[in-house]
Amino acid sequence: MINFALIGNQNSGKTTLFNQLTGSNQHVGNFPGVTVDRKDGYILGYKDRVITDLPGIYSLSPYTNEEIVTRDFLLDEKVDCIVNILDATNIERNLYLTLQLIELQIPMVLAINMMDEMRTNGGTIKINEFSRAIGVPCVPISAAKNEGIQDLVHEMMRVAVNKIRPEKIDFCAGAVHRCLHGISHMIEDHAVAAGLPRRFAASKLIEGDEPLAKRLNLTQNELEMIEHSVVEMEKECEMDREAAMADMRYCFIENLCRNTVIRPTVSKEYLRSVKIDSILTSKYFAIPAFVLIMGLIFYLTFGPIGTFLSDGFALIIDWIINYISELLIQFEINPVVHSLVVDGIFAGISSVLSFMPVIVVLFFFLSILEDSGYMARVAFIMDRPLRQLGLSGKSFVPMLIGFGCSVPAIMATRTLSSERDRKMTILLTPFMSCTAKVPIYSVFALAFFPNHAAEVMILLYATGIVVGIGFAMILKKTVYKGAPIPFVMELPNYRMPSAKSVLLLMWEKAKDFITRAFTIIFLASIIIWFLQSFDLRFNLVEDSSYSILANIGQIIAPIFAPLGFNDWRAATALITGFSAKEAVVSSLAVLLKTSADQLPTMLSSMFTTASAFSFLLFTLLYTPCVAAIAAVKREMGSVKSTIALIVTQCAIAWIIAFIFYTCASLIL
Ligand code: GDP
Ligand code: MG
């Protein structure tokens, strides 16, 4: 078995190359213990050569989740060969990571990508000289055009089999050189004991990398000596330690590129990007353009196309359910089992699966935005306002998707690189009122605010956002202290996304979703069916108002007395809303024994105007549905924080509805 690791900056073409190398024989999952996407695949034509697509990173410092995952992967797993992919049109920035990878002394090949763009703009790289100067074999490729891939595979095999490590070139000079080599000799024994390359260990120590220092197990004495020698270097260079190291690397890169890289004349792609950016990120048009683009995507996803697909999909599922139902009847299966399968399991799974087309369509658009380079700009535009809330610009898109559905929104937080930013975003997403709540709002608006339906809707959405902002402020002051990671991403040129990458991503999301539907949702559906179908003595009930669920509703109804609706039917409906928010309306209809069109009239006998709005506020803010909770649990990786989220949200919902109802009853 030979293991390759694919490493490079974001948008350097990693995913495109990975897909070229593996075809579609890939396995998608997470790194053990953390939720950062991991993809493994066999290289086409080789059954025993595995390549792993690692997250896009800019350096090997332990600042972001991605960097930590990548570093641990390289240091702890048996990687036989690193494939470092570089964007030729941005080679200086990309080489910054390469220099750190060289220090690891793992066999390595450089895949210099985007050569098509480079060449059409009159640029080139003198590959042989370049390769000699950096001491690593290089292969020019174009992942998108499938050029040079065979040569790359060939070179990868040669390097891996013969264990050709990067040459030990000394790319430092002056004060940094003295400091680096001094420390490197001093810690040699510790580095060997910890299984780390000594030069890598030394440069990370200079950069003040604490996790690594711990790993080396240095004595107090040694730590002090290192500190002294670093301070000495800082004085001599007149720069702080990190800047001095960065400067040293960039000096080497500059020298290297001066002699071996012929820079392209200002590239077509660059000029095009500048032109597009002069509208899309300009002072006045940036936000309107963004609103327009997102509006269009939302309209297409949740509007006609999405509805068409969802309806079509629902039709197919219905047909399957009916078919199975007939089959069960034909074989005279016990009616209870029939009910369990049809009303419980299938109904539950299909209610979740019916989201799937929408999610796949949404991810289709999002992956186009991402690959084209627009997403980086959105994050850049929104960074400043969100920073005030303790979030970074990248949190914006997931929260926006939350207005459609929390499930893909929570899945989309994977694009955030710091664990802190990611968790905060996940916790905030459920405050963005999702589309599944719209049926509830419209039924109530029709019943109680027939002339002000739109205002009520807007008020509810706004309340969700305001409460979310408040919650973010509190999180920032308590659980998630500290600043969001600084925005360092450079804006890549706009590029045509590759169809293969987009399609593969859609398939991954769909697969992910289906797996979830058949695990956690499966269980939850059985439980809810059971509670709905049996009474306390475990007799099957005809009328769901005698079921265990209704009993639970009766027990918890008094909790809602201060909110104005001490009614077991309202309580039961809220419980069923846990499975899916649309269920609140359908349960109310079932419990009130009425049809959907009569529902508004029946509701007016159950609620007053004030208690109706209080009910709406509660529905807006209380726990998200099972599917969303399952997503939270998976992405947070902790049951405790998931339960904490549910409890907190219910508490917030109760308090806000209580405040509203108390004020309303005092005024009216
Ligand atoms: P990743 O972020 O490193 O995974 O990068 P992607 O594989 O998503 O690629 C980023 C963008 O560059 C996509 O729009 C690709 O279609 C495009 N791209 C990738 N390789 C090439 C290439 O060789 N030439 C050109 N012109 N574009 C490429
Ligand atoms: Mg990628």
Side-chain angles (χ1 to χ4, degrees), residues 36-63:
V36 170
D37 281 331
R38 166 179 187 159
K39 274 197 276 183
D40 293 324
Y42 292 109
I43 294 178
L44 276 183
Y46 298 89
K47 275 271 164 288
D48 53 351
R49 314 275 149 105
V50 177
I51 186 156
T52 305
D53 185 12
L54 287 145
I57 51 170
Y58 295 99
S59 90
L60 283 180
S61 352
Y63 296 132

Side-chain angles (χ1 to χ4, degrees), residues 9-16 113-114 116-117 142-145 371-372 495-498:
N9 287 185
Q10 275 170 26
N11 281 44
S12 57
K14 257 180 325 85
T15 308
T16 316
N113 194 27
M114 313 272 180
D116 56 317
E117 232 181 86
S142 166
K145 302 251 153 76
D371 275 4
S372 65
R495 288 200 173 93
M496 209 53 198
S498 91

